[in-house]
Amino acid sequence: MLRAENPGPCESKSGGSLTIAKVALDTPLARLFDYLAVDARADDIGRRVEVPFGNRRLIGVLVELTDRSDLPPESLKPLHAIDRISPPLPADLLALADFVSGYYHHALGAVLAMMLPPVMRRVTTQTKQRKAPPALAYCLTQAGRAQAEQIPARFSARKRLAEKLLAAEMPWSTCSTGEKSVLQDWLEQAWIEPASGGQVSQPEEVMPMLTAEQEAVLAAIRAAGNGFKAFLLHGVTGSGKTEVYLRWVADVLARGQQVLVLVPEIHLTPQLIERFARRFPARKLISLHSNLAAGERRGAWLDALEGKADIVLGTRLAIFTPLPRLGLIIVDEEHDNAYKQMEGMRYSARDVAIWRARERDVPVLLGSATPALESWRNAKEGRYQLLGLSKRAHAEAVLPKVRLIDSRTDRPKLGFTSVLLSALAERLQRGEQSLVFINRRGYAPTMLCNGCGHVFPCPRCSAHLVLHRSRNGYRLVCHHCGLIARPPEACPECGNLDLRPAGQGTQRIEETLAEQFPAARILRIDRDTAARKGAFAAMRDQVEAREVDILVGTQIVAKGHDFPHLTLVGVIGADQALVSPDFRASERLFAQLMQVSGRAGRAQHPGEVLIQTAYPRHPLYQSLQRHDYPGFAEAALRERRGADFPPYASQALLRAEAREEEAALGFLLAAREAGLALNAGVLMFDPVAALMARVANRYRMQLLVQAGARQRLQKFLKLWLPLLETLPAKGIKWSLDVDPMDY
């Protein structure tokens, strides 16, 4: 906000000073807005307020009270309302918002708005009182038992819920959103009631014996004390990282503190919630992610703010959850790209977690089988304490054997080499499960004219249309802009009628397997089949119940799932990442393959991983065969150091998009010229097209800025951004991405 040299106190006509509220609003303007606040008090700082803004009313957050303003008193408008029903945002969360706003160069009002549940960002005619929080568990009443036994089979979801309640009490924290909605209906009809006075009656889960490595890790954690320290837990898949989390969480809860657990994907949340709910049935556990219903998300968020929740488990947005008794932050699968927000304010939840833990003086634990290279370097240089779990938790369980199938000699037919087909047949004969992993959904990557070689591009994007199969036949779909088209009958280039699928996607792999193994029960899990709410959990239950012989999946199934009867993983199409222009591609591929390999073999069932590749001698695959993450990481870091790439440099990416390529390029050229004039000791590259240069008829360009020191880059950005605001930008959408993950 622009200020006068010496702004004086605002005075009313009677001569007394006025109280001015500084309000953060969700606007692109990086400033606070002044309003008259006649009845505002010091304890209102952090509260939601309703204010006039032009001809609209907006919800903002009151961040400061003062008697001074740059504006004359007569031009100031009064606050409409102060929400004193909900607790205010605490000082530590306001400080977190201020840090995030400054580091990622995003307006404070927009950051604070993002921290609030969506329903609390909207203006309502009145602020409603919260509903009473649910009990920890519910059981059927006598009337409910009679009704539950008569639910028709066609109401399958309600019947399954009733069967669960007939068998045992139902902890609220383990219920899906749909189940909670049904339970609320049944509560109003007096079919259910709080169990045992609202407490879960079953005893706490019996804890497994710890391995020697787990004991050593916990001893090191406990020896470090309760203040801030960052730990990196490098544990191979199946080594028992989650058990380490649970033991440390028990220590923290025993001290009366709260725990925040972050996971990268919504699909992983129900599985971890079940583990935590079984271990801590008497504790209030809430989940926070974007798939929650609006009211449910608001209720969970307020439970955390009021200190009623003991454990908060959620995706990246949960890092902004207010927690007055915070004692520990855990970031599971810390390497995962899902922790980086790719739209709007492009923050990294993992990095924000480190800052928040330091400010709150609590420990933070980062866990992964394949840590991010930034985290590995921090651990090797002593900024994080490195902890290791090199063996699987069950003594009889060993890491899967990784075999590389040379696709140059054993040429794949419809995606499969003969070796992989034989291995699948062998598992079917033994009654074991297999996973075919291909990180490409749809039927085929594109359609091809067999006459002239024409492939079908998206008319609005720099991408090919992907061939999908549906009940009504085939369709061409753009995975970037959503365009859907019917495949033409003839090639638009040469008129040839011989149009064929080119390559394999999950649908075509599923079709091929069904032809090869007609008696096999095949299940496909990708973004298309798992899109419906509750679909993924149901499919996971099918696999665990051994109702599936062969699973076909994308990266959705690669992370964190324990399928005890799955002994074979076949990998198709991994080589594409080896020739990507993105310097992080090899790191992502290694992590992905290590993760999916970890699905093979648990407990007494040995596992095997077959990777089809034309580059069997590639160092990445050689490290993978040895399960040698440290070796891969050290080699990758040497390459990064030689190229002066992160983590040996700090980067920011200025993105611009427009209807005309020249407009986006012109803006970035002007931005580069303004930056060079600052002579701030940073490296500014020439503007280039993004890897995906056009999406939905908008051209995307980018300008990379790099510095050897993070502080130097931040100092430059603070000087540069005000200059960017003055550049002509009609029809141009631009944004800044600090520490970019995609290019």
Side-chain angles (χ1 to χ4, degrees), residues 50-100:
E50 184 183 307
V51 300
F53 190 80
N55 58 0
R56 297 179 293 159
R57 290 187 299 164
L58 297 179
I59 292 295
V61 176
L62 197 162
V63 297
E64 183 185 350
L65 290 175
T66 182
D67 61 356
R68 297 175 181 270
S69 175
D70 300 331
L71 303 174
E74 59 272 15
S75 68
L76 296 176
K77 297 179 181 180
L79 295 175
H80 280 172
I82 300 175
D83 175 16
R84 292 197 176 104
I85 294 176
S86 306
L89 295 178
D92 72 288
L93 207 67
L94 294 176
L96 179 64
D98 191 58
F99 161 74
V100 169

Side-chain angles (χ1 to χ4, degrees), residues 351-628:
D351 296 347
V352 173
I354 299 290
W355 190 91
R356 188 175 187 185
R358 182 184 291 111
E359 290 301 299
R360 291 293 298 270
D361 195 28
V362 300
V364 57
L365 175 64
L366 312 178
S368 176
T370 54
L373 292 180
E374 289 83 356
S375 300
W376 187 256
R377 183 195 179 209
N378 281 332
K380 286 297 184 179
E381 295 185 356
R383 286 184 286 273
Y384 300 168
Q385 183 172 340
L386 182 61
L387 308 169
L389 296 172
S390 61
K391 300 174 183 175
R392 287 191 158 179
H394 297 282
E396 67 275 19
V398 295
L399 291 171
K401 180 181 179 182
V402 178
R403 290 174 56 196
L404 303 174
I405 306 172
D406 192 336
S407 58
R408 297 169 301 178
T409 55
D410 187 356
R411 292 191 173 277
K413 295 180 181 178
L414 294 177
F416 290 91
T417 59
S418 60
V419 172
L420 180 53
L421 285 175
S422 297
L424 289 167
E426 183 182 333
R427 264 58 180 196
L428 284 170
Q429 191 173 13
R430 296 206 306 242
E432 298 171 358
Q433 293 175 321
S434 302
L435 164 64
V436 177
F437 175 79
I438 176 169
N439 205 25
R440 189 182 290 276
R441 63 190 177 97
Y443 187 81
T446 190
M447 182 176 272
L448 173 74
C449 171
N450 201 41
C452 69
H454 173 77
V455 293
F456 292 81
C458 173
R460 307 192 300 190
C461 304
S462 302
H464 292 139
L465 293 172
V466 179
L467 186 65
H468 280 250
R469 186 189 61 200
S470 66
R471 293 178 181 176
N472 300 322
Y474 291 95
R475 55 200 173 101
L476 291 167
V477 180
C478 179
H479 287 179
H480 301 279
C481 72
L483 180 142
I484 300 176
R486 301 180 79 175
E489 294 183 1
C491 174
E493 292 289 328
C494 69
N496 195 317
L497 300 178
D498 188 6
L499 304 179
R500 301 180 180 183
Q504 283 78 35
T506 50
Q507 289 182 320
R508 197 176 191 190
I509 291 296
E510 178 187 25
E511 180 182 270
T512 302
L513 287 169
E515 293 171 354
Q516 289 286 333
F517 308 108
R521 297 166 297 176
I522 301 167
L523 177 66
R524 172 169 57 91
I525 301 182
D526 54 24
R527 195 185 304 173
D528 299 318
T529 61
R532 185 173 48 84
K533 187 174 289 188
F536 184 82
M539 289 188 287
R540 194 189 74 217
D541 291 344
Q542 280 183 266
V543 179
E544 291 179 354
R546 305 187 74 173
E547 297 171 1
V548 175
D549 298 314
I550 302 176
L551 184 62
V552 178
T554 59
Q555 60 182 346
I556 290 177
V557 297
K559 306 170 186 176
H561 306 292
D562 185 3
F563 300 133
H565 305 289
L566 197 153
T567 60
L568 174 69
V569 171
V571 180
I572 295 174
D575 286 349
Q576 295 171 355
L578 297 179
V579 293
S580 170
D582 185 348
F583 72 88
R584 298 184 192 274
S586 61
E587 178 185 2
R588 291 170 180 162
L589 176 62
F590 188 87
Q592 190 177 77
L593 293 180
M594 283 283 282
Q595 289 288 327
V596 75
S597 297
R599 303 313 112 220
R602 295 290 175 103
Q604 71 273 21
H605 301 289
E608 185 177 29
V609 181
L610 302 181
I611 301 174
Q612 298 182 167
T613 174
Y615 309 101
R617 297 188 180 277
H618 194 285
L620 183 148
Y621 290 136
Q622 295 295 314
S623 294
L624 192 70
Q625 274 196 300
R626 300 190 300 270
H627 299 278
D628 183 16

Side-chain angles (χ1 to χ4, degrees), residues 100-335:
V100 169
S101 171
Y103 186 81
Y104 293 105
H105 302 276
H106 209 68
L108 178 62
V111 175
L112 287 167
M114 184 185 64
M115 291 181 168
L116 294 170
V119 72
M120 297 182 73
R121 304 171 200 165
R122 299 195 291 266
V123 175
T124 56
T125 53
Q126 58 181 0
T127 306
K128 295 181 180 179
Q129 276 280 17
R130 260 179 91 200
K131 290 183 179 179
L136 290 181
Y138 287 95
C139 62
L140 289 166
T141 61
Q142 188 171 356
R145 283 188 168 273
Q147 294 290 342
E149 291 169 352
Q150 299 176 27
I151 295 175
R154 67 178 182 274
F155 300 116
S156 56
R158 291 185 173 231
K159 188 149 187 82
R160 282 197 302 270
L161 180 58
E163 289 169 351
K164 290 179 183 178
L165 282 162
L166 285 166
E169 297 167 1
M170 189 98 179
W172 181 263
S173 60
T174 65
C175 298
S176 67
T177 302
E179 288 174 333
K180 289 177 179 178
S181 177
V182 174
L183 289 178
Q184 287 169 342
D185 291 342
W186 289 358
L187 188 61
E188 293 174 4
Q189 299 172 51
W191 287 20
I192 61 170
E193 61 186 357
S196 306
Q199 299 296 320
V200 181
S201 59
Q202 65 257 38
E204 293 193 359
E205 180 186 36
V206 176
M207 293 185 291
M209 290 286 291
L210 294 175
T211 66
E213 285 188 325
Q214 288 172 324
E215 291 275 16
V217 165
L218 283 166
I221 286 170
R222 288 163 178 158
N226 303 327
F228 170 73
K229 191 170 183 66
F231 297 90
L232 177 62
L233 176 57
H234 172 226
V236 300
T237 53
S239 61
K241 293 188 292 294
T242 304
E243 185 60 34
V244 171
Y245 300 162
L246 291 167
R247 297 296 178 105
W248 197 3
V249 168
D251 292 350
V252 175
L253 294 178
R255 297 196 297 267
Q257 294 177 301
Q258 295 169 297
V259 176
L260 173 61
V261 183
L262 298 182
V263 294
E265 299 280 357
I266 290 173
H267 294 305
L268 299 182
T269 312
Q271 196 168 359
L272 265 185
I273 285 177
E274 290 170 11
R275 289 285 306 272
F276 275 80
R278 285 199 304 268
R279 183 63 58 89
F280 307 110
R283 298 288 187 169
K284 187 168 183 62
L285 185 155
I286 64 172
S287 63
L288 278 171
H289 51 77
S290 57
N291 270 15
L292 293 177
E296 188 178 3
R297 183 166 162 185
R298 174 180 177 267
W301 187 86
L302 286 170
D303 279 342
L305 173 61
E306 294 167 359
K308 296 175 182 176
D310 298 304
I311 304 168
V312 175
L313 199 155
T315 51
R316 63 174 175 259
L317 64 85
I319 189 55
F320 300 116
T321 306
L323 294 160
R325 298 184 286 110
L326 181 62
L328 170 65
I329 301 175
I330 295 172
V331 185
D332 191 31
E333 307 293 359
E334 64 89 30
H335 67 279

